[in-house]
Amino acid sequence: MPGPRVGIFGLTGCAGDQLVLLDCEDELLALAGLVDIRDFLMASSARDRESPLDVALVEGCVASRRDEERLQEIRQRARLLVALGTCAVCGGVPAMADDDEAARRARLAAVYGELGGVYDSLPPRALGEVVPVDLGLPGCPVEKDELLALLAHLLAGHPPPPIEWPVCADCRMAENRCLLLDGVPLCCGPLTLGGCKARCPGMGVPCQGCRGPIEDADPSAALAVFTQAGLSREQIASKLRTFSGRALSKETP
Amino acid sequence: MTVIRVDHLARVEGHGGITVEIENGAVRRVEFNIFEGIRLLETLVGGRDCADVSPIVSRICAICSVAHALTSLKATEAAMGIQVTPQTNLLRELLFRGENIQSHALHFFCLALPDYLGYPSLLHMAADRPAEVQLGLRLKKLGNLIQETVGGRAIHPVNAVLGGFARLPAPEQLVALRHALVQGRRDADAAVELAGALPPLSVAGSPTAYAAAIGAEGYGYYWTDHAVLLDSGRWHVFCPPDYRRLTNERPVPHSHARYSSFDGKPFMVGALARLAIRSDRLGPRAAAAMRYLGMALPGSNPLDNNKAQLVEIVEDLDFALRVVDHFLEHGVRHETPVPLQRRPGQGTAFTEAPRGLLVHSYAYDEQGRLVAADVITPTAINAASIEDRFRAVVSNADGLPSEELASRLAIVARAYDPCLSCSVHVIETRHAG
């Protein structure tokens, strides 16, 4: 089958972004006819582990030496490496602690006791902290229509336009009422990358920041609003850092 | 010495392998190696507000995200003394059914069926067996539609919150769902026929103990309040706070999952275990499907789990249709989530995730911050049972070429539908303050 050679990989994570691809029930067969899927361990036992790939879609974070080695192998094979989902883009939930190695070892021991020391475990990192990444699609999980649009763009030979707006912009477009104006103490929408059509605020659920932080956000205005609502710095920090991994520095907020 | 190794199992969720060593005809070592990366999620929820816990632990696993999110809510609500409404309970059970249908259709059609029909994947079957492929994808999509309608998203639901639901399904959503369910019931019947006509795969069985959660009535997954273990015709019953007496977990060096056993023996959880323990709760159509598939219970062949999943799809679709019809007839009551009063407390919840018994157990301080969390997942429970099954297959594999034996072991592991992302998050942890 001609068409771009594609590999789909999962490192450490929940497999949710690969599952979104399998959840494209109406498009999956057409997609399989347009691209040449060489390596997709979660769905196929036919594996081509060597040949070069035009596109590698990689979800999850790097949390072990094994992950690190696999990612380096994938990088060497792939012309274009796409970080799929928030864990791959910025570390996501596994990276939220962002603590020093001694503290992390203590958490490992709290979970596995003495055996904690023998396991292959590294501090969770985003793909871009280990190898150069060409494109990133955030989301926990990624949105199906964004994933399909990304694949369509790649098939057409050009990258998709970057997301440059916060979830708040999606909320305005959907004509949702602003939860913060309605008295909800904390909504991560102002600081979070948009593109999700404000899925959660549309249901009356405050944004949890699952798509990770928007690059040029100025957190000071949002922080003032959250602080006025009576939240402590610690409460605000833990909320904002849930999905943002190391992308938010320790000083913010 | 003969060493049989499967480096990285295909067509399962997550990262695992198999190691078997045979010396002079004797089995020396049998290991199901789970090397899924360690995320330590239990240590990350420590100190968090009770309202933050469910969305974080949902990330343990995508395929079982509804089970984790809702079992977490159930345990937290028990700790906080929150009683949700009957409508919330009904919608949560419906949401579980949606996940079960999606997960079982994914497993049966995309992961297991290629083994029976001799293909490397569902996508490779598309040219020769388009009808079967389309059938599987339609059923899977229907499970997702239920999850989207009730949970607001197919993976990591956003709409289920402490005390109830943020948004209730609209009438037009329920009508659309009803249309899909009517077609889905025909599809489920076709899937059962397909399973009945599959060539048998030759795998040695071995007797096992089973465990499943069960409620006062019905074939519920969310509606469960105690756990039952069935071992050689004897029943043992466990209340939620007693769960450790059932699981007796211990860490092992060759796997990132902790191993469970009762009375020194591993036990199996999942669709087959549920049928072994509570098939008398099935409705007439699912009971007929079970008879059609010739399933003998409790049974000793792990591959029967594949068929058991189809029986449950029939049951769950019938349940979903009844619930949707109920709402279309009586309407959805306008309800807002039960208000949360933060208080100290402990709560443990049992549910049946697609892959079997799931336990979440939490303790909170007076500000409603989490001080202790313990999550025991079905795949962690099954890990020891899978190794037991490997031993039976290896012992009965005289003269089988290594490659064929490795393939059979992979088929056995796959029949358990292991979810290895889940399996590594099984540990109790306590947090200071």
Side-chain angles (χ1 to χ4, degrees), chain B residues 108-109 113 116 132 135 188-200 289 292-293 306-311:
Chain B
F108 182 84
F109 285 94
L113 188 59
Y116 287 90
E132 286 89 342
L135 175 67
D189 291 342
V192 170
E193 268 184 51
L194 167 67
L198 288 178
Y292 179 83
L293 291 172
N306 297 328
K307 294 177 179 173
Q309 292 186 333
L310 291 184
V311 173

Side-chain angles (χ1 to χ4, degrees), chain A residues 191-227:
Chain A
L191 303 174
T192 301
L193 268 175
C196 58
K197 303 196 174 73
R199 182 186 279 274
C200 300
M203 275 179 267
V205 176
C207 171
Q208 297 164 1
C210 84
R211 297 169 63 82
I214 186 159
E215 219 168 85
D216 56 354
D218 169 17
S220 57
L223 288 181
V225 174
F226 305 153
T227 313

Side-chain angles (χ1 to χ4, degrees), chain A residues 10-16 22-23 25-26 41-43 45-46 66 107 111-112 119 140 199 203 238-239 242, chain B residues 8 11 13 15 35 37 43 48 52 59 62 120-121 137 140-141 144 152-153 158 166 252 255-256 421 424 427:
Chain A
L11 302 179
T12 294
C14 74
L22 292 172
D23 279 355
E25 291 98 354
D26 291 336
L41 185 71
M42 180 171 162
S45 43
R66 190 186 170 93
R107 289 193 290 124
V111 171
Y112 288 105
Y119 295 138
C140 188
R199 182 186 279 274
M203 275 179 267
S238 68
K239 264 286 199 209
T242 300
Chain B
H8 207 153
R11 275 185 281 124
E13 191 288 316
H15 308 293
F35 40 78
T43 67
R48 294 297 295 250
D52 294 344
R59 267 67 190 187
S121 81
L137 291 174
K140 187 173 156 339
K141 186 181 173 190
N144 277 331
R153 182 158 66 181
V158 296
V252 291
S255 171
H256 294 180
S421 293
V424 290
I427 312 298

Side-chain angles (χ1 to χ4, degrees), chain A residues 20 23 139-146 166-172 174 176 179 187 189 192-208 210-211, chain B residues 59 144-145 147-159 166-167 173:
Chain A
V20 169
D23 279 355
C140 188
V142 294
E143 293 287 330
K144 193 193 278 191
D145 57 355
E146 281 193 308
V167 171
C168 284
D170 286 331
C171 242
R172 294 293 86 78
N176 295 330
L179 295 171
C187 173
T192 301
L193 268 175
C196 58
K197 303 196 174 73
R199 182 186 279 274
C200 300
M203 275 179 267
V205 176
C207 171
Q208 297 164 1
C210 84
R211 297 169 63 82
Chain B
R59 267 67 190 187
N144 277 331
L145 180 64
Q147 298 191 86
E148 283 157 10
T149 304
V150 182
R153 182 158 66 181
I155 299 166
H156 303 315
V158 296
N159 188 36
R167 186 205 61 186
Q173 288 180 291

Side-chain angles (χ1 to χ4, degrees), chain B residues 77 81-85 88 162-165 335-341:
Chain B
E77 286 163 358
I82 298 171
Q83 283 256 314
V84 298
T85 65
T88 292
L162 276 179
F165 285 92
E335 291 178 348
T336 51
V338 177
L340 169 67
Q341 301 276 317

Side-chain angles (χ1 to χ4, degrees), chain B residues 400-412:
Chain B
L400 210 61
S402 293
E403 209 164 286
E404 172 60 24
L405 184 54
S407 148
R408 282 193 192 179
L409 293 174
I411 287 170
V412 168

Side-chain angles (χ1 to χ4, degrees), chain B residues 15-198:
Chain B
H15 308 293
I18 301 169
T19 309
V20 171
E21 290 175 8
I22 304 168
E23 195 166 24
N24 303 327
V27 184
R28 277 180 56 96
R29 191 156 76 106
V30 172
E31 288 177 0
F32 182 34
N33 310 106
I34 297 174
F35 40 78
E36 184 72 33
I38 291 171
R39 291 177 290 167
L40 302 173
L41 289 184
E42 309 88 326
T43 67
L44 300 176
V45 284
R48 294 297 295 250
D49 182 68
C50 54
D52 294 344
V53 175
S54 170
I56 295 175
V57 296
S58 154
R59 267 67 190 187
I60 289 174
C61 169
I63 305 179
C64 334
S65 55
V66 161
H68 282 293
L70 268 59
T71 310
S72 174
L73 294 177
K74 194 175 171 183
T76 297
E77 286 163 358
M80 301 282 154
I82 298 171
Q83 283 256 314
V84 298
T85 65
Q87 177 171 287
T88 292
N89 269 322
L90 187 59
L91 284 167
R92 285 182 178 174
E93 178 66 32
L94 178 60
L95 186 47
F96 256 73
R97 304 289 178 126
E99 176 170 85
N100 207 49
I101 294 166
Q102 195 290 133
S103 178
H104 283 359
L106 173 73
H107 177 251
F108 182 84
F109 285 94
C110 303
L111 310 184
L113 188 59
D115 283 332
Y116 287 90
L117 299 179
Y119 292 87
S121 81
L122 187 79
L123 295 174
H124 290 88
M125 288 166 45
D128 305 344
R129 319 280 298 230
E132 286 89 342
V133 173
Q134 296 287 1
L135 175 67
L137 291 174
R138 275 202 306 277
L139 280 168
K140 187 173 156 339
K141 186 181 173 190
L142 177 53
N144 277 331
L145 180 64
I146 298 173
Q147 298 191 86
E148 283 157 10
T149 304
V150 182
R153 182 158 66 181
I155 299 166
H156 303 315
V158 296
N159 188 36
V161 296
L162 276 179
F165 285 92
R167 186 205 61 186
L168 295 163
E172 62 272 19
Q173 288 180 291
L174 292 171
V175 171
L177 181 53
R178 190 180 196 285
H179 282 295
L181 285 168
V182 171
Q183 167 68 39
R185 274 170 33 132
R186 286 195 289 270
D187 285 341
D189 291 342
V192 170
E193 268 184 51
L194 167 67
L198 288 178

Side-chain angles (χ1 to χ4, degrees), chain B residues 284-296:
Chain B
R285 292 180 70 253
M290 200 175 80
R291 284 194 300 276
Y292 179 83
L293 291 172
M295 295 182 63

